[in-house]
């Protein structure tokens, strides 16, 4: 099957590689020409403008976007639309907000262009292991993409989730759960590191041990073990944790629907706090302890 990939970063390029290795014909475009040139060395046909990209595709065209959520997706769609025709399909595989998928689908429908939202999980390991795919949109349009999904995903690793937005909704919840799981691991290993056996415990070995039959085993735990074995004290890493938006959307969705979601909410807030090297809130806590109890505080020199 022929497909175009717009966005040849860590995810997009590896997905294009996997598709080429699966026998598909891939045309690639990136706003940085160097990335497109790199892709050409991988058997991907390079395009150096959105117009050239569209011209290199047979009708009906299929174009997969792997660009940052929000404005960049809208900009690419706006740039592509003049060169597309009724029956073409745009797939948004980035971590976009599900309501944006509904809006974009409605806008493209007026021109007869299909819009499919696909949540993609697998990270940099997807090239080797495959990507878990969650699709939303017109069912027939999604079914036409099955050859692509089958190549990108491991066995039974893709699913039609429902109408437009469903794919990104399921991916939003997936990433929120990921936040909570990561936070639980982080807190547990922090306690072991600070506890009475912290100086003697090999935390990388503990993580590896838990992968052998433990009820808390997971791929995330494998990655904890890998990180700790490379750098036991994680001395080379700052405790600054970014978020790409899905956790925020999920917490807002919980508020809107009245669903109690304390673990994932707190995991998101913990990420916010990680970005403050010297949190004012913690200064307030220290000051209060001094004011009401005379407790000592650490001061700046």
């Amino acid at each position: 099957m022929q497909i175009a990939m717009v966005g040849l970063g860590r995810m997009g390029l590896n997905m294009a590689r996997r598709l080429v290795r699966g026998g598909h014909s891939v045309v690639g475009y990136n706003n940085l020409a160097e990335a497109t040139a790199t892709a050409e060395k991988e058997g991907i046909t390079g395009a150096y403008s959105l117009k050239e990209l569209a011209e290199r595709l047979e009708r009906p065209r299929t174009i997969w976007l792997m660009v940052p959520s929000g404005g960049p997706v809208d900009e690419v769609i706006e740039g592509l639309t003049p060169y597309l025709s009724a029956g073409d399909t745009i797939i948004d595989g980035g971590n976009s907000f599900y309501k944006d998928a509904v809006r974009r689908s409605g806008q493209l429908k007026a021109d007869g262009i299909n819009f499919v939202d696909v949540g993609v999980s697998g990270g940099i390991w997807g090239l080797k292991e495959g990507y878990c795919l969650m699709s939303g949109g017109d069912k027939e349009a999604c079914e036409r993409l099955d050859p692509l999904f089958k190549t990108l995903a491991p066995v039974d690793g893709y699913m039609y989730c429902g109408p437009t937005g469903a794919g990104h909704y399921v991916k939003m919840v997936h990433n929120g759960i990921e936040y909570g799981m990561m936070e639980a691991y982080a807190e547990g290993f922090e306690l072991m590191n600070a506890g009475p056996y912290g100086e003697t415990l090999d935390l990388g070995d503990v993580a590896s041990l838990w992968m052998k039959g433990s009820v808390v085993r997971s791929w995330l735990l494998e990655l904890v073990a890998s990180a700790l074995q490379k750098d036991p004290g994680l001395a080379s890493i700052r405790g600054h944790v970014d978020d790409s938006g899905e956790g925020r959307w999920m917490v807002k969705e919980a508020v809107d629907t009245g669903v109690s979601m304390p673990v994932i909410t707190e995991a998101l807030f913990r990420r916010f706090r990680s970005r403050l090297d010297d949190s004012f809130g913690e200064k307030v806590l220290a000051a209060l302890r001094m004011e009401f109890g005379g407790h000592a505080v650490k001061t700046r020199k």
Side-chain angles (χ1 to χ4, degrees):
M1 186 171 178
Q2 188 188 44
I3 183 172
M5 183 69 69
V6 176
L8 299 170
R10 287 172 297 179
M11 289 285 285
L13 180 57
N14 275 349
M15 291 171 69
R17 285 170 171 151
R18 189 171 172 94
L19 288 166
V20 167
R21 294 174 190 179
H24 300 278
S25 173
V26 181
V27 181
Y29 167 78
N30 197 82
N31 60 351
L32 296 176
E34 311 90 84
T36 304
T38 297
E40 289 181 306
K41 298 174 185 177
E42 303 279 347
I44 298 160
T45 301
Y48 289 84
S49 70
L50 294 176
K51 181 176 185 291
E52 182 185 359
L53 182 89
E55 290 173 347
R56 288 184 175 275
L57 296 173
E58 300 172 2
R59 299 182 184 181
R61 305 173 183 92
T62 301
I63 302 173
W64 194 307
L65 312 186
M66 289 302 294
V67 298
S69 64
V73 177
D74 289 321
E75 289 168 14
V76 171
I77 292 174
E78 184 178 349
L80 273 172
T81 304
Y83 310 114
L84 301 184
S85 308
D88 293 345
T89 299
I90 291 178
I91 305 162
D92 180 10
N95 286 323
S96 292
F97 186 40
Y98 78 97
K99 290 184 179 179
D100 286 339
V102 175
R103 170 179 58 80
R104 290 166 182 148
S105 178
Q107 292 169 342
L108 290 167
K109 190 174 183 180
D111 294 318
I113 299 170
N114 298 309
F115 181 87
V116 172
D117 53 288
V118 179
V120 180
S121 181
I124 59 174
W125 296 88
L127 175 60
K128 178 183 176 184
E129 305 292 339
Y131 300 89
C132 180
L133 305 175
M134 299 144 261
S135 66
D138 177 78
K139 190 169 186 179
E140 289 185 6
C142 290
E143 287 175 347
R144 286 197 296 272
L145 301 172
D146 269 5
L148 301 173
F149 296 157
K150 189 173 182 179
T151 298
L152 286 169
V155 176
D156 296 327
Y158 66 96
M159 173 182 170
Y160 174 70
C161 298
T164 302
H168 280 159
Y169 192 91
V170 173
K171 180 58 164 46
M172 174 186 74
V173 175
H174 165 284
N175 281 27
I177 292 170
E178 177 186 300
Y179 278 33
M181 291 174 67
M182 290 173 67
E183 178 63 21
Y185 284 134
E187 292 178 11
F189 280 90
E190 183 172 30
L191 180 61
M192 285 190 288
N193 184 62
Y197 306 103
E199 293 185 4
T200 56
L201 269 178
D202 186 317
L203 298 182
D205 284 350
V206 171
S208 295
L209 170 69
W210 286 351
M211 288 305 303
K212 310 297 191 298
S214 163
V215 296
V216 299
R217 65 186 182 275
S218 73
W219 183 48
L220 286 174
L221 187 58
E222 285 185 49
L223 299 179
V224 172
S226 174
L228 288 170
Q229 285 160 1
K230 292 173 188 172
D231 183 359
L234 300 180
S236 64
I237 300 174
R238 278 187 61 208
H240 178 110
V241 187
D242 287 320
D243 70 287
S244 54
E246 301 90 338
R248 301 181 190 216
W249 301 332
M250 189 171 171
V251 169
K252 290 177 182 176
E253 187 74 8
V255 172
D256 290 344
T257 55
V259 172
S260 176
M261 207 173 65
V263 171
I264 293 169
T265 301
E266 176 56 28
L268 174 65
F269 289 171
R270 176 68 181 263
R271 292 191 179 203
F272 294 164
R273 178 167 286 263
S274 78
R275 299 163 204 170
L276 302 175
D277 292 330
D278 195 6
S279 164
F280 183 77
E282 289 173 355
K283 290 180 183 179
V284 171
L285 290 175
L288 284 171
R289 293 182 76 248
M290 179 179 67
E291 293 295 327
F292 73 70
H295 300 285
V297 295
K298 293 183 179 180
T299 58
R300 289 184 180 276
K301 295 182 179 180

